[in-house]
Each structure stands twice: as C-alpha cells, then as structure tokens.
Amino acid sequence: MTATRKRKASGAGAVASFPGLFIVAGLFYAFLYFPILVLVAYSFNSGKRSMVWKGFGIDWYGRVFTNDAILASAFNSLVVATVATILSTMIATAGALALARGGEFKGKTLSVGLITLPLVVPEIVTAVATLMFFASIGMTFGLGNLIVAHTVFCIPFAFMPIRARLEGMDTTMEQAARDLYSTEWQAFRYVTLPLLMPGIIAGATLAFVISLDDFIISLMVSTAGTTTLPVYIYGMIRQGITPEVNAVSSILFAISLALVTVYWFASKPGK
Amino acid sequence: MSTAFQKDPRSRWLALSPTYLVIAIFMAIPLCIMIVISFLEQNVYGGVHPNFTLAAYQQILFERDFDDNLVFDPAYLIIIGRSLLLALVATLITIVIGFPVAYYIVRQPERRRNLLIFLVTIPFWTNLLIRTFAWLLILGRGGILDSPFKWVGLFGPDDSLGLLYTPFAVVLGLTYTYLPLMVLPIYASLEKLDFRLVEAAADLYSNKWSAIRYVVVPLTLPGIVAGAILVFIPCVGNFVTVDLLGGAKNLMLGSLVQFQFATARNWPFGSAVAVILLLFVVSNMLFYARINKGGSTQGHGS
Amino acid sequence: MADDHTNALEVRNVIKVYGGPAQGVTALDNVSLDIRHNEFFTLLGPSGCGKTTLLRLFAGFEEVTEGEIYLYGEEIEDLAPHERPVNTVFQHYALFPHMTVRDNIAFGLRRLGKPDSEIEKTVREMLGMVHMEDFGDRRPTQMSGGQMQRVALARALAPHPKVLLLDEPLSALDLKLRQAMRDELQRLQRETGITFVFVTHDQDEALSMSDRIAVMSNGEVQQIGGPVDIYKRPANRFVADFIGDTNLIDVSVGARTRSSTKFRTSGGVELAIKQTTEHAEGTDLSLNVRPENVLIAPVGKGKTDGTLVHKTFLGRTSIYTVQMKDGTELKTRYSNQEGRHHQTIDIGDKVGIDFAPNSIAVLTS
C-alpha cells in the first residue's frame, strides 16, 4: 500500500537524511580495501615480474616457505611477539586492576598518562630514543633488546581493553563472592579473573598484532641477526619488488586479520 | 566494601610498579637522554662527545660554508614546512571524507553499524608497511593505474603516469593510512549526539544542510578536533609512507630523523629534529586539552 | 490568520505503519479528526496508543503511510518539517546545548531569514512572556527543568507558528512544577491565540487544560469531546476505565418498564435502575458508575444489599469497597468532611448500595 500512495512533495520523515551518502561510504570502503585486494591478487600471480599478470599460481607461496631468511625472520617475529605479549599483558593487567579498582587516588591521572605515553610519542621518535638508550648503556641482548622495546609499546594496547572490561564489570559480583565467605584472593581468582578473561584475551591479541606488525622500532633496534619479518620485507621492497613480497605480505595480512577478528569478538561486551 | 587496592595504597602501587618501571626506564628515560644528546657534540663515527653545544639546532637554520661562517640555509626549514603542509592537507582530506562516512555509519541499524566500524578498524590493525607497499603496486611504473593506458596503446612499455614519488603520492598514502583514525572519533561523537536536536532544528525551519551546519557540526566538533590531532601528529612524524611513496625528493621530518641515524650517523642533529617533532606533539596535545576543558564546562549538568 | 470556520488541522483516514508492509507494526489505523482554530486540543492515551506518532506526523518527522493532513486547508503530509509553519515543544526540551538561551529562541527566526532587529525584538518579547528575562545569556545546560521548559516554549513560540505541538512537555517535571506549568500553558495559549496540540498520558493534565480531548488506544481514536463529556459520558469501556476511577459492572438487560430497566449481573443480582434503554432484553452490556456516585444506604434501602470489605483512607476522601451478594466489588468514594455517618461503618458490616440519580452510563463495547 505504500507503493500506491503518490507523494506530492518529498521531505516528510527524512530529517537530516542524505540518501546519496551510501555512495560516499561505498567509495570509502573501496578505497580502504582496494590496495589490499590488489596485493592479495598479485600474490597469486605466477609470473616472475610482480606487476605483470602471467596467470594464477601459488608458486610464490611455496618459495616463501623454502626461503630460509624469511623463515628465520618470521621465527624472530614470533618469539618477540609471544614474549612481549606475555610480559605486556601481565604488566597491563596488574596496572588496570590497580587503576580501575583502586578508587580515586593521587597520581591516577599521571599513571594513565604514563601508560598511554607510547601511543602519543611518534614511533620514529621512540625508535631513535630507544636505539640511543640501548647504545648508551651498552645493552646488547640481541632479541632481548627487541623484546624490551616491544613490551613497552604493547603495554597501552593490552591495557585499554582490559581496563574497559573492568570498568564495565559489576563490582557487586565481587561483593557477593566476599559475602559468600571468599577471601579477597579467592574472590579475585574465582570471580574477577574469569569475568575479566575476555578483556585479557582481547588485550593480549591486540598486543600480539601490534608487536607482529611493528616495523619502525624493529627497524631501528634490530641488528643483523635479529631481523623481524616486517624489517625483512622492507629490505625486499628496497631491493626491488618481487612476487615473493606479495605472498609473504598476504600471509602477514591474513594472520593480522584473523587475530583482529579474535580481538573483536573477545572485546564485545556482554559475553 | 572496598578492594585491597583501595584499602592499602602499597598494594595499589605494587600492582602499578611494573608498568611504571618498564615505561619509565625504557620510554621516559630514553626520551630524556635523546633531549640531552640533541645538545651534545657529534661524533662522526656515530655516538656523541659529551660537550654542550647548540650546533644541532643551529644546523636546522644555518650551514657552515668553506670559511666556517654560518650561512642561512632553508633546506631543513623547507622539510619542516613540507611536513606540516602535507600533514595538514592529508588531515583536511580525512575530515572531508571521514565526516560523511561516520555520519553514514551512525545512521545505520545497530548490527550493520558494528560491522561497518569493524571494517574501518581492520586496516588500522594490519601492517602499515604492507598497506603502503600495496600502493606501490598501484601507483608505480607499470602499476594498476598505468595498465589501462597500456592496453589502449597510449603508453609504451616504459611510459608511466609518474604518480609515484610525488607529493600527491605522499598525501594519498597519508590519507589512506590515517583515515580510520579520523572516522572513529567522529563516529564516537556522532553516536553520542542526540538526534532529537536535529529534529528540533528541522522543526525550527532548518533544511538538512543548515541542521548539519548549525547543530551537528558544532556538537561533534570535539570528535573532529580529536580526529584531526590523531591524524596530524602521526602524519608529521610519518616515516614509512614518505619513505616508500615519496622517495628522496619529498623528505619529511620522520624520514629526516631516520636518515640521521641509519645513514648520516649524526645523533645530535637527528635528536634535535626528533625533539622538534615532540614539541609539535606536545603543543597539539595542549591545544586539545584546552579545547576539551572548554567543552566540558559547557556540557556541565547536561 | 485563517477565519474561524477553517479547522487548524484536519486528519483524513491516516494510516501509519512502521517497518515493511508485510510484517509492519500499525501505529495509526485509519485516524480522522479535526482540530479547531484556537483551541487547546489534547491527544490522550496510554503509551503505544499512537498519540506521539500522530504528533510527529503533524511536525513532519514521520511520513504517513496513507491519508492526508491539512493545515488551515493546505495539504501538508508530504512537506518536510522545515516547510511547515508548526513548531514543537519536545518531551526532553531538545534545547541546543552549544547555544545561549537567546540563540536558542532566535534559531527559528534566523533560519526564516528575519531581519536582526525583528529577531532581537521577538526574543525579548518571548523571554518576557515566559518570565525568563534574566536568563538570555545562560546556556540551557546550567538551568533547571522548569527553566528549560520555559525556554523550550519560548523557542517554539518565537516564529509564531500556526499550530504549537507539545509532546508530553510536563512529564520530566516534578509534581508541584507540573501543576504550575498547567496554568502557565493555558495562559500562553490564550495570550498567543495559537492552536495548541498537546500529547499526554496523564488524564489529570488532559482534563484540567483542554478545550477538547481525543482519547486514543491501539492506533485508533476512541472518543473526542470536552473534558466533562468524556468523563461523564464515556463512549466505551476503554474510555471509562482510562479516565478516572470507575466501576464497570457486567450485566444483561432484564425486564423493562416505561421508566426503568432491570439489569442482572452474571451472579444473579438484580438492579432496578430508573433509566430507559433501547437494548433488547437479554443483551449483554456494561454499567459504568463512578465511585463518587455509588452511595452507601441503610440495609434494605438501596438498590441492593452488600458487605463492606475494605476501607482506604486517602486524606480528603476515603474509598470504601463494598461487595454485592454475587461477589462483585464496587468502589465508593466519600468526602472525609466531619460528621458523616458512614465513618462509623466497619469492615464486615452489612450495608445497602444505592446509586446517585442519572449517574449510570450504559456501555455496549
């Protein structure tokens, strides 16, 4: 019956609606994903030159998994990301608990500011400052240097979802646990921690993604033997683009995508 | 009932201490050292001599000629100017694109809204290097944008639009990289906007453009400013995009810093440029804090 | 201004369905009504009855699914909100938080492109009219609910709309303020001579302020009439039940004489009422009698006998609940003026039950 009614003018019911906006939004999403699609498409190019399409093939993926240098740098990336994630998540969880459950106290704003410092300072500045610091104190632990640097900038990323989860959590459940004869530790162990788990998983995932994808700090801090995957990819791009870069980049993208999806579902409230 | 963290300040600080320790030692102290180094003398083999000098800052404005006289040299000022200009252009473009996109998303039903926001965040969490590299495939010689011309026969094998290594490519790359950082805060403030105010504007004889101009934009200004700062700061300090898409001709502050450490081995000068970058960040943050303070007294009691 | 013979608003067969035609929710089901020039008209009903939807159709925030709406003879249902010379006072005021009171009131006039001198003059007039002269430079966020309410009124009246729409504007105020604002609204309506369309779920508000009321339920208009009309002669059970306290007795028509009718309850109690009815013997219907018209009489002296089962003291009045022999309970309201005999009746006492003359309305639906 709606369709049969003839409108004499347009406008009723359409308060501040812009029907053409979906075109802008569509173009925006196309712009956002077009380069990634191009990259993935080219990674299946069987030709030798990365920009000339020669037919579908997965040869370059095979090459990636037999390239020792790529595998070694991927291993470095995994080690750094795993250790930095564990460290930063533990540190961030303790910090978030103190800040979200500690009431109002002097130094709270300062603490939050300090935690978010790595987000505010441009990465290149952090990178060179860290480089000079390690050189000045003569710290040369190889991957250890990288792990420390990564832990620092992973803390705020792990911190944010954990704190958000804590602040969205009802403290009455902890009170109920205490009422039901739990010690403070038992209340934390059996009530707070399980409820907080999605936030911790979200924070850890985010920290892992950020560490895995980090390039600038790794570029400045890593040495010959401690190249991470993004640094190695950068070197490949500098030497000239080969389809191998497309393949290894697509793999890294797929891993990030999977992890971000995990994060997205873990950080959804009400689960 | 209060938690142990509330009752006992010591346990609170104990829980916070690892955070303080790690960030203070490995972030705050290095930044301080960097500031100190910017005032020291360069050691040509890398590192520094522990002598105080303003040479690094002088180098930004002046050059020593053959007679060891200081001569004004705008080369680095041009780089600073270019950084600010390209960052500003990219920021404005992200506002022009980001606002309508955020507005579109916020008017969708909730389920679709969440999906659309998720799609905005995905590129942000994926590798910056890879996303920038993808533009090489599009803009580069023989890339996607050149191919139609080749098929038609307009271009020979060595012809190209020549888009790569231009300021255009840098702005495009910066816009592409930081667009999500503009959409998200604008979306957040639009989501908080009471759309009954838009109805009130329409009821009071505003067409939809005046409703946007007089009600929606003023009320979402904090989100727009937050987005502008979130985009502008990393644009100025950007290294990857400028390095891959700008080439040597379009050096910006971030790449200048990297160059001083990776190639020129001039720590004090690199540090001085990094300090200038930091100053931009700090001034932006202060500006934002001031705006927010003004906004919060306005919004008091609502 | 249009002449008095033209209605301010005419609603013709309006249907509003939310969602798709297949699984849509019908908010308004074939509504037709007229709102006269210069009257205080109220749309009254429980939440979800369609009253707010109808108001939003007047304002232009929603589009009709079918039907027409005329404003002083001009068809408006497809015009955008800013093209209609009507203004709205919103439920939660919807004042612009980033503007001063003055700028809020001037907003509509500015969009209409009025000259600055006229805007300034009108804003000053409006501030005076709602007694907010000293608040022009304040922001709405620094004001109390009552003050925001006045600004919202001034803002909506400033462009001098042909009809002012008020969407439950008093619901966010506390009781004392609400009662003061009722008088204020009536005064403003008389002073400005603008037609007011007022939406509320509060029957007291509707009865005390309106020239006429449309009682709505389930997307339909149940009855339109003056406050007294609606209270004393409700058109159906819904209206009787929704407006004020009442007793609804299910009966069937029994033996009829020239001047009276016997009604029989389902439990077998016979009530002989001095009232004629056109309904045939055996017809099922309801008797509506307000508690103030149920009278307690000595045993055997009323229409029937019963027992007092409950007393509720309410201050000025008391509610006594009496039970007829078939178990039907009737509420009766008495003034607590000193010296009334029934104050001595206790729960469990036998009483007679009578009705005030001509106080019973016969309802068929």
Side-chain angles (χ1 to χ4, degrees), chain A residues 13-224:
Chain A
V15 174
S17 73
F18 297 82
L21 222 48
F22 81 95
I23 298 171
V24 180
L27 288 173
F28 162 79
Y29 283 104
F31 176 59
L32 221 51
Y33 284 92
F34 178 62
I36 296 167
L37 291 179
V38 167
L39 176 77
V40 174
Y42 270 138
S43 73
F44 292 106
N45 186 359
S46 61
K48 262 203 197 105
R49 286 181 56 195
S50 76
M51 290 193 198
V52 184
W53 185 259
K54 278 276 154 60
F56 180 85
I58 53 165
D59 326 359
W60 294 105
Y61 284 91
R63 292 279 286 273
V64 167
F65 287 104
T66 50
N67 182 330
D68 288 340
I70 290 182
L71 292 180
S73 60
F75 178 74
N76 283 343
S77 278
L78 276 179
V79 170
V80 171
T82 306
V83 181
T85 298
I86 294 170
L87 290 175
S88 61
T89 306
M90 290 195 317
I91 294 169
T93 306
L97 277 167
L99 287 174
R101 289 286 184 271
E104 288 303 318
F105 63 94
K106 221 176 154 188
K108 188 172 176 176
T109 318
L110 177 76
S111 305
V112 175
L114 193 75
I115 289 173
T116 45
L117 189 64
L119 293 180
V120 177
V121 178
E123 228 188 326
I124 187 77
V125 176
T126 311
V128 299
T130 311
L131 167 71
M132 288 187 287
F133 176 70
F134 285 155
S136 310
I137 63 168
M139 183 169 150
T140 48
F141 294 139
L143 277 184
N145 282 18
L146 267 179
I147 288 170
V148 168
H150 278 224
T151 303
V152 173
F153 67 76
C154 282
I155 288 175
F157 288 98
F159 174 78
M160 288 184 301
I162 298 175
R163 189 188 185 202
R165 178 90 192 171
L166 266 173
E167 283 178 347
M169 250 165 63
D170 197 348
T171 50
T172 52
M173 284 188 249
E174 289 157 42
Q175 290 168 15
R178 296 281 280 132
D179 182 54
L180 295 164
Y181 317 109
S182 301
T183 64
E184 189 124 21
W185 165 250
Q186 286 168 329
F188 174 76
R189 170 69 187 80
Y190 296 109
V191 176
T192 313
L193 196 60
L195 286 171
L196 189 56
M197 221 47 206
I200 294 176
I201 291 172
T205 317
L206 219 49
F208 194 82
V209 172
I210 289 295
S211 169
L212 203 62
D213 283 341
D214 174 76
F215 162 62
I216 295 171
I217 290 172
S218 303
L219 177 72
M220 301 304 286
V221 175
S222 66
T223 52

Side-chain angles (χ1 to χ4, degrees), chain B residues 242-289:
Chain B
V242 179
D243 188 65
L244 290 186
L245 304 181
K249 286 175 301 185
N250 296 292
L251 217 56
M252 281 171 58
L253 279 177
S255 38
L256 182 62
V257 173
Q258 193 267 347
F259 181 77
Q260 296 310 314
F261 288 88
T263 314
R265 297 205 156 267
N266 190 342
W267 282 20
F269 183 60
S271 299
V273 178
V275 168
I276 289 174
L277 250 176
L278 261 187
L279 286 177
F280 279 129
V281 174
V282 171
S283 57
N284 268 294
M285 302 300 289
L286 289 178
F287 171 71
Y288 180 65

